[in-house]
Amino acid sequence: MTDEGLPHVDWQMAEAWIKQQAESERAEMSAAELHRAIAAAWLDELRDALPTDSRRWRTAQVEGVAPLEGRVGPRTAATADRALRVIGEALREIRGDPGGNPIPPIGIVALTTHEEYYSFIARFYDDEGEYATSGGMYIRSTAEEFPVLAIAAQADFALEQTVAHELTHHTLTPDGPGQGYLPMWAEEGLAQMMEEHVTRISHFHFDQEILERHRDLWPEIGLDRFATGESFHSPEGEAQELSYNLAEALTRSLASTRRKDFFAFLRACRNEGQDHDLAAREHLGGTVQQVAERMYERAK
């Protein structure tokens, strides 16, 4: 199908075809191999349809599309390879040994103009509503879809950060029956921490001024919006900004002061599909709101 002049795959139809082919007595490829082959053919078509001359690349874990000219393509490919290794090791307490349970393949599409980026991701948004701007987006709306990372590569100063951040979301996506998603605050906090692990550059700040801004904002809009993830999508700049900042502050605090409890909480949510509130009460000793408020008190 075509949307905004760019090709996309009907993954439900593709999955039906994959199942039929994989079950054939003459099958030469597994369902997983067929799934990736369709994604590769799609990205070939996307490369040819983009207004900017683009190239394709392929590694063991990545099917990529990037601009033909300049350094964006090589930088994206190199960062993706490094990020997948670093993130796999850093998060082994959640998803296990990356050698025994490798991170699944992913498509990476680096787009050089705002027009190309928003034309590509438009299909994944509802027609109505207000949305915050973004520099990258991890796309996997259904279990059938081949996961894709779209990057607004015109902001090339943040390229490595964006790749590391979005590949963390990919790494944490459920990959087995009975699994669930992490609460957004924990996943976003980990994703920002992985930016630093991969790039070796920290952008995290939690000084007195930021602490006061948190204390002004959350009584007004409610920490429940943070706990549910609603505030992360707010088109209002401060709510979104402080949601990401609080997520990283809380994640860093728990990972350093209560690492065993925190990772038990993360495994309960992702690997066991446990209710987030129940998991927080069991492993963190209270709701996320209560844990965040206790962190504020310690920061006085």
Side-chain angles (χ1 to χ4, degrees):
M1 64 182 75
T2 301
D3 197 320
E4 298 286 336
L6 299 176
H8 292 275
V9 176
D10 182 333
W11 283 106
Q12 285 188 325
M13 291 290 291
E15 196 67 20
W17 181 84
I18 288 170
K19 183 177 180 181
Q20 182 183 53
Q21 299 301 312
E23 290 177 351
S24 168
E25 292 181 1
R26 295 180 295 173
E28 297 181 357
M29 299 173 70
S30 68
E33 290 170 330
L34 289 166
H35 196 242
R36 179 166 181 171
I38 290 174
W42 166 41
L43 295 182
D44 287 347
E45 294 291 327
L46 177 64
R47 172 201 57 199
D48 297 339
L50 287 169
T52 300
D53 289 339
S54 300
R55 72 175 94 187
R56 283 273 282 115
W57 88 89
R58 174 177 300 155
T59 63
Q61 290 174 281
V62 176
E63 295 285 345
V65 177
L68 182 62
E69 301 295 332
R71 292 287 303 159
V72 167
R75 282 176 60 195
T76 303
T79 301
D81 285 346
R82 170 173 165 73
L84 288 166
R85 290 194 303 272
V86 172
I87 294 167
E89 285 296 326
L91 300 182
R92 64 162 54 227
E93 290 179 74
I94 302 172
R95 58 170 294 120
D97 178 11
N101 184 32
I103 299 170
I106 185 173
I108 298 180
V109 180
L111 300 153
T112 54
T113 69
H114 286 291
E115 291 76 14
E116 289 176 359
Y117 177 69
Y118 285 105
S119 292
F120 181 71
I121 69 173
R123 180 171 174 270
F124 307 99
Y125 285 100
D126 293 332
D127 292 335
E128 298 182 1
E130 291 184 277
Y131 303 98
T133 58
S134 70
M137 182 178 179
Y138 176 64
I139 301 167
R140 194 181 189 188
S141 303
T142 67
E144 291 84 9
E145 290 188 22
F146 189 82
V148 171
L149 163 54
I151 302 172
Q154 63 273 11
D156 63 353
F157 64 90
L159 182 65
E160 285 81 5
Q161 288 174 250
T162 301
V163 171
H165 186 106
E166 302 301 336
L167 286 180
T168 305
H169 289 306
H170 175 56
T171 301
L172 293 169
T173 298
D175 57 6
Q179 293 188 348
Y181 287 88
L182 293 182
M184 183 171 286
W185 66 268
E187 186 163 324
E188 292 295 353
L190 289 169
Q192 291 176 104
M193 288 179 68
M194 290 305 103
E195 291 179 23
E196 182 176 334
H197 275 282
V198 172
T199 66
R200 301 189 180 98
I201 299 171
S202 176
H203 297 277
F204 176 64
H205 300 284
F206 198 79
D207 55 20
Q208 190 63 35
E209 179 184 350
I210 291 177
L211 180 60
E212 292 302 325
R213 289 174 63 197
H214 281 294
R215 287 175 173 155
D216 289 340
L217 175 70
W218 298 114
E220 179 182 342
I221 69 172
L223 271 169
D224 57 317
R225 292 181 61 189
F226 172 78
T228 62
E230 179 186 352
S231 60
F232 289 86
H233 301 294
S234 173
E236 301 168 10
E238 185 168 67
Q240 186 187 52
E241 174 198 351
L242 292 181
S243 293
Y244 280 94
N245 182 259
L246 180 57
E248 185 169 5
L250 189 54
T251 301
R252 283 176 176 267
S253 174
L254 290 168
S256 63
T257 63
R258 301 181 58 189
R259 185 179 184 88
K260 183 177 178 181
D261 292 337
F262 182 49
F263 277 91
F265 164 74
L266 297 174
R267 288 192 296 272
C269 293
R270 180 189 181 273
N271 301 350
E272 301 168 22
Q274 191 170 338
D275 177 83
H276 296 168
D277 283 341
L278 290 176
R281 292 178 188 277
E282 178 181 349
H283 298 288
L284 303 181
T287 66
V288 174
Q289 295 96 311
Q290 290 169 335
V291 174
E293 287 167 356
R294 288 199 294 266
M295 186 188 73
Y296 285 161
E297 292 303 312
R298 291 196 301 271
K300 281 184 178 180

